[in-house]
Amino acid sequence: MNSQYLEIKKAFKNWKDIAKLYYPNNWKAFIQILNTFFPFVFIWITIVFCIFSYSKYLTVFLSIFNSFFLIRIFIIQHDCGHQSFTSSKKINNIIGFICSLFTLIPFKYWAKSHNYHHAHNSQLDFRDIGDITILTVREYQKLNFWKKIKYRMYRSFIVMFFLGPIYYIFIHNRLPLIHIKGWEKAKVNLWISNFCILSFYIFIGNFIGFFKLLFIQFPTIVLFSIVAIWVFYVQHQHNPNYKEWKTNWDYCIAAIKGSSFYKLPKIIHWFTGNIGYHHIHHLAPSIPFYYLPDCHSQNPIFDKYVTKMNFSGSLKCVKYKLWDEENKKMISFRSYEKRNINKKISEHK
């Protein structure tokens, strides 16, 4: 373990004591429900009964705008999955389930896979559950031609940030694709969730018409999914970064160096439920999203070691495709190919 990692472990040795200062506040949680669900439902009903017949263009615009409130609904669901939104497990489960009807993301099944991601964040041994697939340089080199093409397609911009999010919401979250011991109950919950979501939208469709429902809800869901995947992507595919095999992996370092601090305007932090403070969230998922900015500002240590990015800086993350174990960083396909060419030239000499 290098000197910086040792310094981080020493600096954060009391992180659990810090986390205890930011326990769920039921009143604040109630306020988040009001300022999130009320505008979302109000805009939705306004579109249905007033705007849809007046202007299709305005309908699409308001539907897209409403996707930002849907992001907040998802963050509430997300915190309920961590049992950090309110102090009551029962209430968290009820609220989380209600949120799932709007986000189309199954509450308990997704929460289990997401908690798995937290427990294995930046572990190279576990990259197939609740995470975006990334290969090491060595693994990529061993692939045959067609598998390399497949991986390049998967990591391409249009698949990763457009087709992928749509697939993730409408297909991936409908199927029990995780086949490991201990997930039997979660799979049952997934099918129950699918049934409840389908019944919910059949009821609404029968009431307002299925074409109107699709025309209003589809843009909202699509933009929500794209933004959600983008934010998750840049907060784990950045440089400097941290990824290790299980034998050398450390939870604290994985949270602070394997997750970024996405510095966004306050209004964007609000709409994205402060998920930009991702390093704090990964270190202490027990802290509710409404306390993350306070935790960051009141504890300067959280600003010292983390990789910080603004929006323009985060665009660089799009080019990162492989993990270079030798140099401990994310690299692009172009960097990989350039290195191979230089290596061949060196060997030829």
Side-chain angles (χ1 to χ4, degrees):
M1 187 176 290
N2 65 38
S3 58
Q4 186 191 41
Y5 292 167
L6 290 172
E7 185 180 342
I8 292 173
K9 281 185 66 66
K10 184 177 180 181
F12 285 93
K13 64 180 180 180
N14 296 323
W15 70 265
K16 291 182 180 180
D17 294 327
I18 295 175
K20 289 177 183 177
L21 301 175
Y22 303 95
Y23 50 86
N25 182 306
N26 293 340
W27 172 247
K28 285 185 176 292
F30 177 68
I31 294 299
Q32 305 308 314
I33 291 175
L34 286 183
N35 64 27
T36 301
F37 276 91
F38 179 78
F40 179 85
V41 174
F42 176 78
I43 292 172
W44 215 94
I45 292 175
T46 301
I47 294 172
V48 172
F49 291 103
C50 303
I51 306 299
F52 182 82
S53 299
Y54 173 73
S55 171
K56 298 297 189 294
Y57 296 106
L58 187 55
T59 295
V60 173
F61 172 78
L62 288 176
S63 295
I64 289 174
F65 176 70
N66 221 13
S67 66
F68 291 98
F69 287 104
L70 187 59
I71 293 168
R72 280 185 59 82
I73 290 175
F74 171 67
I75 295 300
I76 291 173
Q77 176 182 337
H78 163 271
D79 272 22
C80 287
H82 284 301
Q83 296 300 326
S84 63
F85 185 61
T86 75
S87 59
S88 168
K89 182 177 180 181
K90 183 177 181 180
I91 294 176
N92 283 331
N93 288 338
I94 292 172
I95 294 173
F97 170 75
I98 293 171
C99 290
S100 72
L101 298 176
F102 296 91
T103 66
L104 304 186
I105 295 177
F107 173 58
K108 289 190 175 180
Y109 187 85
W110 186 89
K112 188 174 180 66
S113 68
H114 184 65
N115 285 320
Y116 185 97
H117 159 70
H118 268 259
H120 302 86
N121 175 41
S122 295
Q123 273 190 34
L124 292 172
D125 306 71
F126 304 97
R127 286 168 278 167
D128 56 346
I129 297 177
D131 211 343
I132 292 171
T133 300
I134 179 171
L135 296 180
T136 67
V137 169
R138 189 178 306 167
E139 289 169 338
Y140 181 74
Q141 287 175 330
K142 291 180 180 179
L143 297 180
N144 61 38
F145 175 79
W146 291 112
K147 286 185 177 180
K148 284 181 178 178
I149 293 296
K150 182 180 178 182
Y151 180 71
R152 282 177 176 262
M153 289 178 62
Y154 168 76
R155 298 287 302 201
S156 67
F157 183 86
I158 191 169
V159 171
M160 186 60 62
F161 303 114
F162 183 69
L163 298 179
I166 295 173
Y167 163 82
Y168 181 75
I169 291 293
F170 292 104
I171 299 176
H172 183 86
N173 278 298
R174 308 277 72 82
L175 303 172
L177 300 175
I178 300 172
H179 304 293
I180 56 177
K181 189 176 180 181
W183 284 73
E184 292 78 15
K185 186 176 180 180
K187 290 181 179 180
V188 173
N189 285 328
L190 173 61
W191 292 120
I192 293 173
S193 178
N194 284 339
F195 174 78
C196 292
I197 290 171
L198 181 62
S199 300
F200 179 67
Y201 283 98
I202 287 176
F203 172 78
I204 295 175
N206 278 318
F207 184 68
I208 68 168
F210 288 99
F211 173 77
K212 186 181 288 189
L213 172 63
L214 182 64
F215 194 87
I216 295 171
Q217 191 68 358
F218 188 72
T220 304
I221 291 291
V222 168
L223 185 59
F224 152 67
S225 66
I226 290 172
V227 173
I229 292 296
W230 168 258
V231 172
F232 183 81
Y233 178 93
V234 301
Q235 295 189 310
H236 289 292
Q237 309 281 314
H238 54 277
N239 272 331
N241 207 320
Y242 172 86
K243 297 185 188 299
E244 281 289 352
W245 296 98
K246 186 177 180 179
T247 52
N248 299 316
W249 179 82
D250 182 87
Y251 176 83
C252 180
I253 298 170
I256 301 302
K257 299 302 292 183
S259 306
S260 68
F261 172 31
Y262 202 8
K263 299 180 70 175
L264 299 167
K266 284 187 177 180
I267 185 65
I268 303 301
H269 273 307
W270 188 86
F271 274 115
T272 56
N274 299 316
I275 202 64
Y277 298 88
H278 214 60
H279 57 309
I280 303 176
H281 170 64
H282 258 279
L283 185 65
S286 62
I287 299 176
F289 75 86
Y290 44 82
Y291 276 142
L292 290 175
D294 291 339
C295 182
H296 182 265
S297 62
Q298 293 166 9
N299 300 278
I301 191 68
F302 282 115
D303 201 54
K304 185 174 181 180
Y305 300 100
V306 67
T307 300
K308 302 172 210 175
M309 295 183 298
N310 56 20
F311 179 72
S312 60
S314 70
L315 296 176
K316 297 177 183 178
C317 297
V318 174
K319 68 181 181 180
Y320 298 143
K321 311 294 184 181
L322 298 165
W323 176 249
D324 183 350
E325 287 187 83
E326 184 179 344
N327 297 299
K328 304 295 182 182
K329 66 177 184 178
M330 298 287 298
I331 65 170
S332 64
F333 286 131
R334 180 176 293 182
S335 296
Y336 166 79
E337 290 161 357
K338 184 177 179 180
R339 191 176 71 171
N340 281 353
I341 292 172
N342 291 337
K343 185 178 180 180
K344 289 179 181 179
I345 293 174
S346 178
E347 291 174 352
H348 182 71
K349 290 180 178 179

